[in-house]
């Protein structure tokens, strides 16, 4: 039966709410948390209660209530106490898809009885639709009707008329009714019925004072994630970004968007992170349209994607721009096409061009725009990397192209993966900022900071560190012993691939302090790993830092100390700093320079590792910088002119002192290199100017003693 209301013949032209259509007041509950935490525990929907309200005639329809059979029938104590439901009653209920069909049929019938017209859902807050219904339908592969993609949030509508009340997020049905002075039936014990009746009473009271803004702009749930480019110049609000960790490595931006189903992600707002090798590391940065969507996303911490749970944390806008932003106009034009599926091709022959790639993909999966839909990744000098990106107009064409995965192009098999706009930016940025000298097998110069070798065991070695450990983690691990560390005394060892090896050396003030630190911290736990702390000498430390090994069976020399690779007078470390001339620093790109190290606050400033003016990164170590700077970067920094004037003239400052050879065959030996320079030996008068760097004066080298570093 319909409740009585005002005369339906009211002049609708004078009623601003007449154009909003009918309102379907909807309440729901899950088997887990209720209230503001609704949907945060990933439990199934078990109940919906609804009633239709006609704003023009102020009439209401029949109140309906339906139970839903949940796959996991266990009810939380909070839900069992509030609803009075049991697992047996839920086991006899219908499934979600059938209940939604019944819901639509009954709503259409009630709306027709009230005069027909369109209708929009109205809920208390956004959790029911965004956090419960859409994610559950996505997990169960249900296609929701368009009805569930727009709704009115009663809290926001109430706040429009009563802006002096508390914020919309803090409102509840009870507080809204109390502010309006409505008398509600407190004896109603049927779960969900009281909430719907009270919401209907609030709506009717709000409609008594017509407003042009009331029920005029519904909330929208995006049906599809939209890709798009991001620029380095964009300003992203940090209150809209989250970081998701633990993603399957093969997941795409569409998979991430499906995990956050119901929440509105900004266009191009999914940025999958890549590791140093250009592969996905299981993390992504996601940008939402507003802070309220971000807060709802944080409630999905440890929700599941398949069998994996995903961690969700806060992130900053700067982090998102750093990962997803780009500066290339070519990339911006490539990504400017909307509604395109991006695939990445890896392992292409260096001689492959657009015609070869289009022929490899075949006519059954055409690339959007032909050759214009291909983007080849190149080194800064124009050399191809073997990677390319391709655009496809729809998912079906992309699926057809993925069937060519590991197909042969010439003599090489080609790998195809789903990609994203952010991944295109990251790959292009990575190759555009690659250092001039990516790897070195031995240092060219002595390490430019003092390390006086001695027999005393005034150092400690940390073995078994987590690979993610930073300088700050080590200082916290040492505790009080950190106050006994020498300036520039923290040395983290990297392997020959430039990755953390799990070892670190600490220089202490004395051998007694080193022994005390080892006894106090040996086998303490850092990030769920126990760390061995043993005393050692500065000489042992320096040999390891230069590429040698120090194991239980003894010490092996570093490669740069072997007679066949280095002059016999090469010093492992200098006792005085060596300054790199400005001319040499100009040879290297600014991206190779390392940021200033962070040190903990202290009454007396102490540098635990060298500042940027004296750092020199080699392949075998020195210090571990903060991500995302690569530890293998060779960072030559320009010396201030005043400091350069005060130092002695180095052989590097003389024109033609160093040459670089490219394209050398891998089988080339030292004799082959020396034979190249036989016609370019120094004149007899010039031998007096030849002086090894960092060594005291000694007899002049003869050509037969020349060595190649």
């Amino acid at each position: 039966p319909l409740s009585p209301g005002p005369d339906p013949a009211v002049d609708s032209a004078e009623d601003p709410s007449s154009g909003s259509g009918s309102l379907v007041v909807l309440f729901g509950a899950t088997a887990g948390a209720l209230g503001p935490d609704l949907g945060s525990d990933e439990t199934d929907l078990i109940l919906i209660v609804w009633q239709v309200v006609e704003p023009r005639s102020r009439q209401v329809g029949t109140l309906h209530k339906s139970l839903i059979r949940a796959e996991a029938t266990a009810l939380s104590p909070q839900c069992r106490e509030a609803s009075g439901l049991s697992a047996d009653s839920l086991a006899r209920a219908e499934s979600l898809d059938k209940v939604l069909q019944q819901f639509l049929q009954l709503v259409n019938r009630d709306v027709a009885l009230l005069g027909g017209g369109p209708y929009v859902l109205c809920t208390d807050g956004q959790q029911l639709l965004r956090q419960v219904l859409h994610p559950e339908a996505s997990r169960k592969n249900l296609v929701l009707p368009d009805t569930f993609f727009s709704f009115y949030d009663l809290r926001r509508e109430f706040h429009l008329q009563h802006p002096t009340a508390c914020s919309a997020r803090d409102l509840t049905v009870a507080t809204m009714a109390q502010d309006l002075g409505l008398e509600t039936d407190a004896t109603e014990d049927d779960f969900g019925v009281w909430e719907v009746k009270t919401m209907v009473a609030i709506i009717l009271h709000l409609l008594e004072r017509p407003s042009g803004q009331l029920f005029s702009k519904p909330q929208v749930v995006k049906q599809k994630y939209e890709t798009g480019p991001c620029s380095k110049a964009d300003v992203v609000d940090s209150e809209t970004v989250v970081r998701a960790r633990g993603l399957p490595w093969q997941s795409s931006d569409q998979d991430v968007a499906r995990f956050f189903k119901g929440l509105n992600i900004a266009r191009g707002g999914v940025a999958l992170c890549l590791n140093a090798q250009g592969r996905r590391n299981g993390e992504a940065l996601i940008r939402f349209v507003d802070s309220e969507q971000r807060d709802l996303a944080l409630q999905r911490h440890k929700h599941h994607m398949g069998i994996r749970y995903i961690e969700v944390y806060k992130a900053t806008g700067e982090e998102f721009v750093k990962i997803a932003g780009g500066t290339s106009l070519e990339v911006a034009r490539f990504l400017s096409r909307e509604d395109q599926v991006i695939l990445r091709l890896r392992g292409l022959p260096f001689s492959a061009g657009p015609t070869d790639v289009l022929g490899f993909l075949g006519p059954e999966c055409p690339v959007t725009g032909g050759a214009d839909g291909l983007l080849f990744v190149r080194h800064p000098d124009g050399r191809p990397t073997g990677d390319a990106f391709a655009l496809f107009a729809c998912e079906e064409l992309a699926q057809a192209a993925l069937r060519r995965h590991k197909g042969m192009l010439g003599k090489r098999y080609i790998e195809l993966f789903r990609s994203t706009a952010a991944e295109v930016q990251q790959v292009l940025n990575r190759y555009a900022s690659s250092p001039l000298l990516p790897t070195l097998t031995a240092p060219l110069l002595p390490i430019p900071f003092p390390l006086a070798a001695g027999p005393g065991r005034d150092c400690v070695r940390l073995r078994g560190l987590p690979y993610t450990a930073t300088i700050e983690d080590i200082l916290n691990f040492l505790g009080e012993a950190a106050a006994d560390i020498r300036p520039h005394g923290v040395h983290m060892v990297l392997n020959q691939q430039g990755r953390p090896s799990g070892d670190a050396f600490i220089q202490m003030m004395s051998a007694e302090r080193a022994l005390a630190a080892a006894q106090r911290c040996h086998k303490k736990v850092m990030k769920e790993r126990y760390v061995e702390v043993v005393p050692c000498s500065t000489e042992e430390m320096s040999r390891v830092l230069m590429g040698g090994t120090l194991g239980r069976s003894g010490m092996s020399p570093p490669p740069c100390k072997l007679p066949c690779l280095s002059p016999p007078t090469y010093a492992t470390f200098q006792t005085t700093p060596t300054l790199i001339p400005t001319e040499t620093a100009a040879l290297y790109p600014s991206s190779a320079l390392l940021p200033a190290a962070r040190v903990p606050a202290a009454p007396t400033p102490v540098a635990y590792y060298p500042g940027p003016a004296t750092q020199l990164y080699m392949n075998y170590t020195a210090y571990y910088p903060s991500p995302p700077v690569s530890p293998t970067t060779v960072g030559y920094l320009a010396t201030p002119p005043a400091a350069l004037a005060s130092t002695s003239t180095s052989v590097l400052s003389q024109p033609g002192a160093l040459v670089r050879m490219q394209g050398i065959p891998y089988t080339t030996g030292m004799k082959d290199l020396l034979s190249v320079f036989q016609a370019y030996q120094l004149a007899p008068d010039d031998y007096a100017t030849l002086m090894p760097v960092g060594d005291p004066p000694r007899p002049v080298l003869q050509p037969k003693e020349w060595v190649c570093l």
Side-chain angles (χ1 to χ4, degrees):
L2 302 178
S3 63
D7 186 2
V10 64
D11 186 6
S12 61
E14 298 179 359
D15 188 359
S17 64
S18 60
S20 61
S22 300
L23 298 176
V24 181
V25 180
L26 180 63
F27 172 83
T30 66
L34 303 175
D37 297 328
L38 184 69
S40 61
D41 50 6
E42 210 176 5
T43 53
D44 290 345
L45 190 67
I46 61 171
L47 168 74
I48 57 172
V49 185
W50 72 92
Q51 191 172 21
V52 178
V53 178
E54 175 53 51
R56 291 167 293 185
S57 63
R58 310 296 196 265
Q59 289 184 319
V60 297
T62 306
L63 190 144
H64 302 274
K65 178 178 180 179
S66 294
L67 295 180
I68 304 172
R69 183 175 69 247
E71 295 180 358
T73 55
L75 300 177
S76 67
Q78 180 186 8
C79 179
R80 189 182 300 108
E81 180 181 357
S83 65
L85 299 174
S86 63
D88 295 336
S89 61
L90 292 178
R92 296 190 296 269
E94 297 288 349
S95 61
L96 176 62
D97 55 340
K98 293 184 178 180
V99 171
L100 293 181
Q101 292 178 4
Q102 298 173 3
F103 167 80
L104 294 175
Q105 294 173 358
L106 294 174
V107 167
N108 290 328
R109 186 197 68 179
D110 290 350
V111 170
L113 292 175
L114 292 175
Y119 61 88
V120 182
L121 301 179
C122 181
T123 62
D124 174 33
Q126 304 191 43
Q127 282 87 349
L128 177 59
L129 290 179
R130 295 192 184 276
Q131 295 287 75
V132 178
L133 187 57
H134 281 278
E136 183 176 348
S138 178
R139 292 195 302 269
K140 297 180 178 179
N141 294 320
L142 300 179
V143 179
L144 293 176
D146 293 341
T147 302
F148 298 100
F149 286 88
S150 63
F151 66 98
Y152 289 112
D153 183 355
L154 183 58
R155 301 183 186 184
R156 289 194 174 188
E157 303 300 325
F158 179 87
H159 196 265
L160 288 175
Q161 282 200 0
H162 301 79
T164 58
C166 59
S167 63
R169 299 184 185 183
D170 299 329
L171 291 172
T172 64
V173 173
T175 57
M176 288 187 289
Q178 183 179 1
D179 290 344
L180 297 176
L182 299 178
E183 294 183 1
T184 58
D185 186 4
T187 62
E188 182 65 62
D189 57 355
D190 195 358
F191 182 60
V193 173
W194 178 88
E195 285 81 359
V196 171
K197 288 183 176 180
T198 306
M199 291 169 65
V200 171
I202 294 172
I203 292 173
L204 294 176
H205 189 280
L206 294 177
L207 292 174
E208 292 177 358
R209 294 188 296 173
S211 171
Q213 297 181 345
L214 191 63
F215 298 111
S216 61
K217 188 177 180 181
Q219 304 291 313
V220 177
V221 180
K222 288 187 176 182
Q223 298 193 29
K224 184 179 179 181
Y225 167 68
E226 301 174 346
T227 62
C230 175
S231 173
K232 288 287 187 183
D234 291 348
V235 178
V236 177
D237 185 4
S238 295
E239 296 299 319
T240 62
V241 183
V242 301
R243 179 185 294 272
R245 298 179 58 185
L247 299 170
W249 67 268
Q250 70 274 24
S251 58
S252 65
D253 54 351
Q254 298 293 339
D255 298 322
V256 175
R258 185 176 181 181
F259 174 80
F260 291 103
K261 190 70 173 179
L263 304 180
N264 292 343
I265 299 176
R267 184 171 182 267
V270 177
L272 298 173
C273 302
L274 306 180
N275 59 17
Q277 287 71 42
R279 301 179 184 271
R280 296 171 186 170
N281 61 2
E283 295 190 9
L285 293 172
I286 302 94
R287 176 189 179 189
F288 295 91
V289 295
D290 54 42
S291 59
E292 189 170 3
Q293 308 284 316
R294 194 282 300 266
D295 293 341
L296 294 175
L298 291 173
Q299 293 184 358
R300 301 198 185 183
H301 179 59
K302 291 195 174 181
H303 283 203
H304 288 76
M305 180 184 291
I307 60 175
R308 297 175 65 93
Y309 73 86
I310 309 301
E311 301 174 357
V312 183
Y313 303 99
K314 292 182 180 179
T316 64
E318 291 78 7
E319 291 175 323
F320 181 84
V321 173
K322 192 171 187 178
I323 294 297
T327 58
S328 173
L329 295 178
E330 181 185 10
V331 178
R333 287 193 296 267
F334 178 78
L335 299 176
S336 61
R337 299 181 176 89
E338 298 183 358
D339 301 329
Q340 298 291 317
V341 182
I342 306 175
L343 295 186
R344 180 180 180 182
L345 292 82
R346 193 166 59 196
L348 295 170
F350 293 152
S351 59
T355 304
D356 302 316
V357 175
L358 294 176
F360 167 77
L361 294 173
E364 64 276 5
C365 43
V367 176
T368 302
D372 293 336
L374 295 175
L375 178 65
F376 289 87
V377 184
R378 300 182 182 277
H379 289 285
D381 57 2
R383 292 180 294 112
T385 64
D387 282 20
F389 295 92
L391 294 176
F392 296 89
C394 60
E395 185 66 29
E396 290 73 17
L397 294 178
Q399 288 286 353
L402 287 173
R403 298 190 188 101
R404 297 287 295 156
H405 178 60
K406 291 195 175 182
M408 300 299 295
L409 177 57
K411 297 182 179 180
R412 297 179 64 90
Y413 71 89
I414 311 303
E415 298 175 307
L416 284 89
F417 306 96
R418 294 181 180 274
S419 187
T420 66
E423 183 173 11
V424 176
Q425 299 281 25
Q426 288 183 81
V427 173
L428 268 295
N429 292 342
R430 176 171 176 263
Y431 282 105
S433 60
S434 58
L436 182 62
L437 296 177
T439 57
L440 292 174
T441 57
L444 295 176
L445 291 173
I447 301 300
F449 52 86
L451 274 181
R457 303 179 70 80
D458 56 351
C459 302
V460 292
R461 181 187 186 187
L462 278 62
R463 188 164 51 200
L465 293 170
Y467 294 140
T468 58
T470 62
I471 299 292
E472 287 78 5
D473 295 330
I474 291 180
L475 298 180
N476 295 332
F477 172 80
L478 294 176
E480 297 179 357
D484 300 327
I485 300 176
R486 290 185 180 182
H488 311 318
V490 178
H491 312 269
M492 298 188 72
V493 183
L494 310 180
N495 59 23
Q496 295 194 13
Q497 287 72 42
R499 302 174 184 172
S501 65
D503 282 19
F505 288 92
I506 313 295
Q507 285 182 284
M508 309 301 289
M509 292 297 185
S510 63
E512 293 75 14
R513 303 287 178 86
L515 179 60
Q519 293 175 345
R520 185 184 303 113
C521 302
H522 184 56
K523 291 194 175 182
K524 279 180 57 178
V525 176
M526 178 191 297
K527 296 183 180 180
E528 300 181 355
R529 291 177 63 98
Y530 77 88
V531 180
E532 298 178 0
V533 184
V534 294
C536 67
S537 66
T538 308
E539 181 181 1
E540 294 171 335
M541 178 190 69
S542 63
R543 287 183 176 271
V544 174
L545 292 182
M546 292 302 295
T549 58
L550 178 61
R552 293 181 176 86
S553 59
M555 187 190 328
S556 63
C560 61
K561 293 294 293 181
L562 297 178
C564 62
L565 293 180
S566 179
T569 59
Y570 182 84
T572 304
F573 293 99
Q574 280 188 278
T575 57
T576 58
T578 299
L579 301 175
I580 309 300
T582 306
E583 293 83 349
T584 304
L587 296 175
Y588 298 91
S590 59
S591 59
L593 306 184
L594 302 174
R598 295 173 296 170
V599 297
T604 303
V606 176
Y608 289 99
Y609 47 99
T614 57
Q615 282 189 359
L616 177 61
Y617 279 77
M618 291 305 172
N619 204 30
Y620 291 116
T621 4
Y623 303 93
Y624 181 49
S626 300
V629 178
S630 172
T632 60
T633 302
V634 180
Y636 290 97
L637 298 183
T639 303
L644 186 62
S646 62
T647 185
S648 58
T649 302
S650 170
V651 71
L652 289 178
S653 63
Q654 302 175 13
L658 293 178
V659 295
R660 180 186 180 191
M661 301 178 65
Q662 289 182 308
I664 297 176
Y666 296 131
T667 57
T668 300
M670 187 186 307
K671 293 183 179 180
D672 301 320
L673 292 177
L674 292 177
S675 64
V676 175
F677 296 99
Q678 288 300 318
Y680 301 95
Q681 299 179 12
L682 292 178
D685 296 338
D686 294 333
Y687 281 111
T689 63
L690 183 61
M691 188 65 62
V693 178
D695 285 343
R698 64 183 182 88
V700 176
L701 292 174
Q702 299 298 325
K704 63 180 182 180
E705 299 178 14
W706 286 10
V707 291
C708 247
L709 298 180

